[in-house]
Amino acid sequence: MTVRLGLLALLEAKPGKGDDLAAFLKAGRALAVAEEGTVTWYAFKISDTSYGIFDTFETDEARDAHLAGQIPQALGQVGPELLAADPDIRTVDVIAVK
């Protein structure tokens, strides 16, 4: 397995919506598990309102499939209610893995 690609999504919750965003992210794990091309998927909390997702892929096709998949669609549906701003989604190259 050669993990060489990733996505970093930074999310800022509206005031008072951090717990709801955390619950959404926890539920998103099941969707990520079902994605064959997603090697790893992490949801994390930075502060009461700042959260993120980091996931890894072996191929561009797998990353593209994830970006077109159920998690971004679900985030688009709950975003207006939970997010203070649009997600900051960045493609990254993984340069080292342990």
Side-chain angles (χ1 to χ4, degrees):
M1 180 180 345
T2 305
V3 174
R4 60 182 193 84
L5 303 169
L7 284 172
L8 175 65
L10 301 174
L11 310 167
E12 189 66 26
K14 287 182 176 180
K17 294 292 185 175
D19 290 342
D20 295 334
L21 181 54
F24 169 80
L25 292 173
K26 286 179 185 179
R29 181 189 176 279
L31 296 175
V33 167
E35 292 180 342
E36 187 175 315
T38 301
V39 177
T40 60
W41 186 88
Y42 302 91
F44 57 90
K45 178 179 178 178
I46 300 167
S47 71
D48 288 342
T49 58
S50 296
Y51 292 80
I53 301 169
F54 179 71
D55 29 25
T56 61
F57 312 89
E58 293 180 343
T59 66
D60 288 311
E61 294 79 16
R63 183 166 62 183
D64 291 344
H66 174 78
L67 285 169
Q70 292 182 349
I71 294 173
Q73 290 175 9
L75 187 57
Q77 291 175 352
V78 301
E81 177 187 340
L82 299 181
L83 301 179
D86 288 339
D88 179 4
I89 300 173
R90 303 173 189 200
T91 57
V92 299
D93 294 328
V94 175
I95 59 174
V97 176
K98 177 184 178 213

